[in-house]
Amino acid sequence: MKTVAIVWSGDQTARQNSSLEQSRYHAVAIALKAVGLYTIGVVYNDEAAQEVEAELLTADAVLVWVNPLHQDSNRRILDAMLRELANTGVYVSTHPDMILKLGTKDVLYQTQNMSWGCETHRYNSMQELQMQLPQHLKTGPRVLKQYRGNDGIGIWKVQAHPTDAGLVRVRHAPRANLEQDMTFSAFYEILEPYFANNGRIIGQTYQQRITEGMIRCYLVQDKVVGFGHQEINALYPVPFGEVARVPTQRLYFDQNQIEFQVIRQPMEAEWLPELCKILGIQAADLPMIWDADFLFSDANQDSFVLCEINVSCVSPFPDSALEILAKAVQDKLSNLEFGS
């Protein structure tokens, strides 16, 4: 029987006390068991990296749910370990190299000419940002996004100040942040760390139709498996000085929900093939579970703008994904076993 390790993050106490049965991934384990796969749960933190690696070497496949940023840590140690595991023949999803191709904000810049794109700029250095951002703000508000992150960390709504050309009006996306005015130099100082370690910043046009909500499209490799809809999310507009609106709960739907076929049809027939071509990846190498976030486009009533792709820690997701996910893992391991 093939073994699948399900990996999520936690401290040493969690490593000692957590179980797969009590985790948010228990339903995944049940689905994998239903197709004949044995599962183990592994809690990861950097301090236990060697111990975790020894556990994962006993598995045939590793499914990882760990955010790019968590408290004061990142995935540098974990990603190096996962690459080594993959080199031994263990199947890893999502593989760190795939995350760098698909799961960073760079994908917004690379695919801006697709029908899901909007005006997008990439700032590769602080010098580029200082030279170009003031000009870009003349056309309207922007959303700046650090290269790699999660939970709204490093995502800013930025607009020119209505009366003072020396100031900029900004709001950080994480919950409950107020919009505030500051000098350009003060704002640049906040953004400076985002350029460390070959980092960059991606800037997109702010979509005014964010008030109509965000649609999250869930996929298992190249198959749409469900949707999520959230009416109020990060950067929902509020009058200056008012506290940011509390995000509403995301509601989940299966892949056949009628109102979301306007995304499912182009995703499967148009966007995915074009995305794979641009990024130079094969559909068979797409992550086992991932999602794409869409806002309604200001440019056209019936079009959408991609605002993020998530591949590192996609959870929760619709129950409609479970059976398809389990079957995809089973098929992947069978194909690897027979060399196809």
Side-chain angles (χ1 to χ4, degrees):
M1 181 180 291
K2 298 291 185 179
T3 298
V4 180
I6 296 175
V7 181
W8 67 96
S9 59
D11 59 19
Q12 288 298 92
T13 300
R15 272 189 60 76
Q16 295 169 3
N17 300 323
S18 297
S19 68
L20 185 54
E21 290 73 24
Q22 296 172 331
S23 77
R24 67 195 307 177
Y25 306 108
H26 186 213
V28 177
I30 292 174
L32 292 169
K33 181 179 180 180
V35 297
L37 299 171
Y38 178 72
T39 59
I40 60 173
V42 179
V43 176
Y44 174 84
N45 59 67
D46 286 348
E47 290 73 19
Q50 289 186 327
E51 191 177 313
V52 169
E53 183 173 14
E55 295 178 66
L56 299 184
L57 281 169
T58 67
D60 300 287
V62 176
L63 303 182
V64 186
W65 277 272
V66 177
N67 277 321
L69 301 175
H70 180 68
Q71 296 176 350
D72 294 326
S73 65
N74 55 43
R75 285 186 43 142
R76 181 179 58 83
I77 296 174
L78 172 62
D79 287 348
M81 182 188 72
L82 293 175
R83 287 188 176 95
E84 291 181 5
L85 278 170
N87 288 338
T88 70
V90 177
Y91 173 71
V92 174
S93 185
T94 298
H95 191 288
D97 292 346
M98 181 58 66
I99 293 175
L100 293 179
K101 285 189 174 185
L102 183 62
T104 73
K105 304 305 186 295
D106 243 7
V107 73
L108 304 174
Y109 178 76
Q110 293 172 290
T111 65
Q112 64 176 302
N113 293 323
M114 288 176 53
S115 61
W116 72 18
C118 67
E119 182 189 351
T120 305
H121 297 91
R122 181 169 62 192
Y123 308 102
N124 295 301
S125 67
M126 178 54 70
Q127 183 180 16
E128 284 188 12
L129 185 69
Q130 291 171 333
M131 291 178 59
Q132 299 175 22
L133 181 61
Q135 294 300 315
H136 293 156
L137 292 179
K138 290 180 179 180
T139 64
R142 313 286 295 178
V143 179
L144 301 187
K145 304 179 180 184
Q146 69 167 319
Y147 171 64
R148 193 173 181 186
N150 51 272
D151 298 327
I153 301 169
I155 296 180
W156 297 81
K157 179 186 177 184
V158 189
Q159 56 189 323
H161 192 275
T163 60
D164 190 334
L167 298 179
V168 64
R169 182 162 288 178
V170 305
R171 178 152 68 91
H172 198 197
R175 187 172 299 185
N177 281 305
L178 287 170
E179 208 163 34
Q180 56 184 311
D181 295 337
M182 62 178 65
T183 63
F184 276 94
S185 60
F187 185 50
Y188 293 148
E189 187 173 344
I190 293 173
L191 301 184
E192 181 70 43
Y194 300 163
F195 291 107
N197 300 316
N198 199 35
R200 65 217 71 161
I201 293 175
I202 304 299
Q204 285 187 298
T205 304
Y206 178 80
Q207 301 298 314
Q208 304 292 341
R209 292 178 68 194
I210 192 174
T211 55
E212 298 176 44
M214 185 183 78
I215 299 171
R216 178 164 286 181
C217 177
Y218 294 89
L219 301 101
V220 168
Q221 296 198 295
D222 60 348
K223 295 182 177 64
V224 174
V225 295
F227 295 92
H229 183 240
Q230 191 174 18
E231 290 185 348
I232 297 174
N233 53 13
L235 302 184
Y236 189 96
V238 295
F240 183 71
E242 291 190 10
V243 176
R245 295 282 298 273
V246 176
T248 50
Q249 181 180 3
R250 182 177 291 113
L251 302 177
Y252 296 95
F253 305 89
D254 69 28
Q255 64 271 32
N256 298 313
Q257 191 73 17
I258 293 175
E259 61 263 40
F260 300 123
Q261 300 311 299
V262 292
I263 287 181
R264 181 183 181 182
Q265 193 281 328
M267 174 62 84
E268 293 183 336
E270 173 193 347
W271 293 338
L272 267 178
E274 193 171 355
L275 174 69
C276 289
K277 182 178 180 180
I278 290 171
L279 300 183
I281 58 180
Q282 301 296 316
D285 295 328
L286 288 165
M288 280 296 159
I289 182 76
W290 59 291
D291 70 58
D293 290 343
F294 294 95
L295 297 175
F296 293 90
S297 171
D298 293 345
N300 188 299
Q301 182 65 29
D302 300 317
S303 62
F304 300 88
V305 170
L306 178 71
C307 61
E308 187 171 47
I309 288 179
N310 303 292
V311 300
S312 299
C313 190
V314 178
S315 178
F317 48 79
D319 289 343
S320 53
L322 289 166
E323 183 178 349
I324 302 171
L325 170 62
K327 186 63 166 59
V329 175
Q330 179 193 46
D331 289 346
K332 175 65 69 174
L333 291 177
S334 295
N335 290 338
L336 291 175
E337 182 178 8
F338 293 105
S340 59

